[in-house]
Amino acid sequence: MAVKQPVFKPYNQAQILVLPPTLEELIPLWHPVRVVNEVINKLNIEPLLKAYHIRGSSSYHPQMLLKVVVYGYVTNLYSSRKLAAACKESIYFMWLSSMSYPDHNTINRFRGVRLKHALRSVFEEVVKLLSEEGLLSIEEINTDGTKIEANANKYTFVWKKSIQTNKEKMKKQLTEIWQYAQQVASEEDKMPEPPDFTEINSEKVKAAVDQLNEKLAAKDNADKKVKAKLKYITKHYPQNIEKYEHQEEILGQRNSFSKTDTDATFMRMKEDHMKNGQLKPAYNVQISTSNQFIVNYTIHSNTTDTNTLNAHLTQHEASFGKAPEKLTADAGYGSEENYTLLEQKQTIAFVKYGMFDKEQNENYNNKQPFAASKLFYNQEKDCYICPMGRQMNFIGTSRKRTSTGFEQTVKRYQAGNCANCPLNGACHKSSANRIIEVNVNLNRLKQKAHELLNSEEGLQRRKKRCFDVEPTFGNIKQNHGFKRFMLRGKEKVEIEWGLIAIAQNLRKKAG
């Protein structure tokens, strides 16, 4: 009896086909690469063409390179070398590139140089196309931020506090040597009073060092240790103070930066595998979303979200011609400056303030029976009534200016006789008469926000924000593994995030 053999399908690598298959046939109709191709074909790439010179050898077509790079970000290929390899290995990239094989230098130059001034307009075109299809709203947005690690060495840092400490040491050393020079100076060659070292700069340090050298170099009775110290100061202080001035210019309003990417600020990251709150050089990425599509994005070096909203809204206006009609955000944006800004732009703000969530808890309200916000205000007499029924009279106004230059006005009210009050110690802890400070404008804005947030529409928008903007960040960082920028410098980081935003929108459309 014959033994049965397994049956295999024909396999012959040398088989010649009469009608070989095309790449078009090999790509499914529903595949995301077709969405990338279709959308980019509809875009106006005129701004991108301006990045190319008329003279010189022929270049790869920017539309093809844009498709390759965007589809790379859609499929989590961020490296220029991997993108170049994919153009030779993947049928999807071969189809997009029409069997062209740009090398990694071409791709990197296109991404870092050619897209510098054109990517924003490409992103805006994509958003407008999606808006026309009814997939997103440009007028009603949710805003939030996240920190993404920079491509920078976390051990090459510069801290403002360290610079200030070193400058204080400089002041102290210069003052001590100057005072010593005054002691050993003769009557004919008397040293003047020490210069004002409250604010030191390179010119002031150099002038002081030159004068000290002139007075002490010829003094045989001068202490050798002091001379050695002056020699060290002469050699190092002038160049050190110039270095500190340059670093302070880079810092601006920031507290730190990395030497390998001076635009990156050290921030506390949520994705900390060491679980010890380690600081890393990073950028604060702000986005506005609608139905999990990214409508607007900006990159900031600020560590907090509060001071980013102005620039973010300015970009929205530049992109779409007007401010959004409605904006929803968490308590990180709930400042007087931001509320005022949104009011001026006539944007309805569903934005929480710092204590909003706690105020919704009745137990918290019961724990604060003597809070200034609980006191009755008599508008006719412009006074507050303390818990014992006594008047707290207006005593003056103070003005404060924030780090961004926004001016806040605070009114102050003081009680008349707290010493003999039976609630003294419970009502307040001060040994003098109680003083409260009231920001009238902020209270008005918070009351307005409270009413909006607790309205039926406000409740719906608060719920929607949680599964709109936050999952967008989660999808990019967790599902697609983008947790660290590959390019350095704020300009290139903006390009990279712009590609991430376009990829997110096209993934969602294909989705």
Side-chain angles (χ1 to χ4, degrees):
M1 182 177 177
V3 178
K4 289 186 176 181
Q5 297 291 330
V7 179
F8 298 104
K9 294 181 184 295
Y11 174 65
N12 181 5
Q13 286 183 292
Q15 176 68 51
I16 298 175
L17 300 176
V18 176
L19 297 173
T22 64
L23 292 174
E24 180 74 30
E25 293 173 344
L26 297 175
I27 297 172
L29 293 175
W30 48 263
H31 201 277
V33 72
R34 293 190 180 276
V35 176
V36 172
N37 186 65
E38 178 191 349
V39 171
I40 293 181
N41 280 340
K42 292 179 181 178
L43 300 181
N44 175 20
I45 62 166
E46 193 64 35
L48 188 53
L49 298 177
K50 293 178 181 177
Y52 287 82
H53 302 292
I54 297 174
R55 296 179 180 177
S57 61
S58 60
S59 304
Y60 286 107
H61 200 286
Q63 190 176 50
M64 179 272 287
L65 289 172
L66 181 62
K67 290 177 183 179
V68 167
V69 172
V70 168
Y71 184 65
Y73 276 73
V74 168
T75 55
N76 309 339
L77 284 180
Y78 308 120
S79 163
S80 59
R81 293 183 184 274
K82 290 182 179 179
L83 288 170
C87 288
K88 298 179 181 179
E89 300 167 357
S90 167
I91 59 169
Y92 307 115
F93 284 92
M94 290 178 185
W95 180 66
L96 285 176
S97 66
S98 187
M99 300 298 286
S100 298
Y101 307 123
D103 62 16
H104 74 94
N105 282 324
T106 301
I107 293 171
N108 207 34
R109 187 164 55 250
F110 174 77
R111 179 173 59 180
V113 179
R114 307 293 191 193
L115 287 177
K116 185 185 297 184
H117 303 296
L119 186 65
R120 176 66 71 168
S121 64
V122 172
F123 169 76
E124 290 165 3
E125 286 281 320
V126 172
V127 172
K128 288 172 184 176
L129 281 173
L130 296 173
S131 176
E132 288 170 5
E133 292 180 24
L135 296 173
L136 61 83
S137 169
I138 294 172
E139 289 79 25
E140 300 180 8
I141 59 173
N142 302 279
T143 300
D144 202 358
T146 193
K147 297 175 180 65
I148 294 184
E149 188 177 351
N151 181 11
N153 191 328
K154 61 185 177 183
Y155 299 113
T156 57
F157 45 75
V158 174
W159 292 92
K160 179 180 280 188
K161 193 173 182 180
S162 177
I163 294 173
Q164 292 170 346
T165 300
N166 291 334
K167 288 173 75 172
E168 287 299 323
K169 289 179 181 177
M170 281 183 165
K171 295 177 190 179
K172 185 178 178 182
Q173 293 280 1
L174 287 169
T175 303
E176 287 176 355
I177 295 179
W178 196 284
Q179 290 172 349
Y180 175 80
Q182 284 180 315
Q183 294 173 8
V184 300
S186 61
E187 291 295 330
E188 299 81 19
D189 197 22
K190 193 70 177 173
M191 287 285 289
E193 287 298 313
D196 181 16
F197 290 126
T198 307
E199 291 293 334
I200 61 172
N201 53 44
S202 54
E203 293 180 3
K204 192 179 288 187
V205 168
K206 193 174 185 308
V209 168
D210 290 344
Q211 199 167 356
L212 286 169
N213 276 314
E214 183 184 342
K215 299 295 182 184
L216 291 178
K219 298 289 182 184
D220 296 331
N221 61 336
D223 191 329
K224 291 183 179 179
K225 289 184 178 180
V226 175
K227 281 189 172 183
K229 192 180 288 185
L230 181 58
K231 186 177 179 181
Y232 176 86
I233 288 173
T234 304
K235 184 178 179 181
H236 295 96
Y237 277 21
Q239 63 186 32
N240 282 355
I241 195 68
E242 286 182 5
K243 180 182 74 173
Y244 295 149
E245 286 177 344
H246 176 64
Q247 289 174 344
E248 286 178 325
E249 187 178 342
I250 294 172
L251 280 166
Q253 298 295 324
R254 296 182 291 161
N255 291 320
S256 62
F257 70 83
S258 173
K259 291 180 182 178
T260 49
D261 184 354
T262 56
D263 291 333
T265 306
F266 279 80
M267 304 180 187
R268 206 169 299 281
M269 310 292 289
K270 286 183 180 178
E271 296 82 12
D272 179 15
H273 65 281
M274 299 290 287
K275 305 296 181 183
N276 60 359
Q278 192 176 30
L279 293 170
K280 294 180 183 178
Y283 288 94
N284 188 349
V285 179
Q286 298 287 311
I287 64 169
S288 293
T289 64
S290 174
N291 296 329
Q292 296 184 6
F293 289 93
I294 298 177
V295 177
N296 182 29
Y297 67 90
T298 49
I299 308 294
H300 305 266
S301 298
N302 302 336
T303 56
T304 59
D305 295 336
T306 312
N307 297 334
T308 62
L309 188 62
N310 192 352
H312 191 69
L313 288 176
T314 301
Q315 179 60 60
H316 189 103
E317 289 176 311
S319 296
F320 307 112
K322 62 178 182 178
E325 294 176 5
K326 296 178 181 179
L327 182 144
T328 309
D330 63 16
Y333 302 86
S335 67
E336 182 183 2
E337 181 176 0
N338 288 341
Y339 284 134
T340 303
L341 174 70
L342 290 163
E343 193 174 59
Q344 290 171 349
K345 293 182 181 297
Q346 298 181 344
T347 298
I348 300 173
F350 297 91
V351 180
K352 293 181 183 179
Y353 47 87
M355 302 299 291
F356 175 79
D357 287 330
K358 286 188 175 181
E359 287 179 0
Q360 308 311 302
N361 189 334
E362 292 183 5
N363 293 331
Y364 173 80
N365 291 326
N366 295 334
K367 290 178 182 178
Q368 305 287 330
F370 303 123
S373 59
K374 302 288 181 64
L375 302 180
F376 175 76
Y377 175 66
N378 187 321
Q379 192 170 0
E380 292 181 3
K381 296 183 178 180
D382 190 19
C383 70
Y384 280 84
I385 307 300
C386 79
M388 285 300 294
R390 298 170 183 168
Q391 287 188 11
M392 300 181 71
N393 297 315
F394 173 70
I395 59 172
T397 300
S398 63
R399 286 179 172 79
K400 302 175 184 177
R401 195 172 290 276
T402 65
S403 59
T404 58
F406 181 76
E407 190 177 87
Q408 296 176 314
T409 302
V410 177
K411 298 179 74 174
R412 305 175 79 237
Y413 296 83
Q414 186 174 31
N417 183 15
C418 291
N420 300 321
C421 179
L423 292 177
N424 191 6
C427 178
H428 67 104
K429 303 299 180 184
S430 173
S431 58
N433 291 336
R434 182 182 182 184
I435 296 176
I436 62 171
E437 295 186 338
V438 180
N439 187 328
V440 178
N441 185 50
L442 178 58
N443 286 349
R444 177 186 67 81
L445 293 168
K446 284 168 69 175
Q447 180 60 32
K448 180 180 177 181
H450 185 275
E451 292 172 2
L452 278 170
L453 290 164
N454 283 317
S455 66
E456 187 175 343
E457 183 183 2
L459 291 168
Q460 292 299 319
R461 291 190 177 277
R462 281 159 55 192
K463 290 177 183 177
K464 186 179 178 181
R465 189 197 71 82
C466 296
F467 55 81
D468 195 312
V469 62
E470 292 178 8
T472 304
F473 278 132
N475 185 45
I476 291 169
K477 296 168 79 173
Q478 301 299 328
N479 297 342
H480 296 279
F482 191 87
K483 298 181 180 180
R484 191 173 193 260
F485 288 109
M486 299 188 69
L487 305 180
R488 292 182 176 180
K490 190 176 178 182
E491 270 192 353
K492 291 186 177 180
V493 163
E494 284 183 347
I495 293 171
E496 194 169 6
W497 186 259
L499 290 168
I500 286 287
I502 293 170
Q504 165 66 19
N505 289 349
L506 296 185
R507 273 196 302 262
K508 184 70 178 172
K509 175 179 168 59

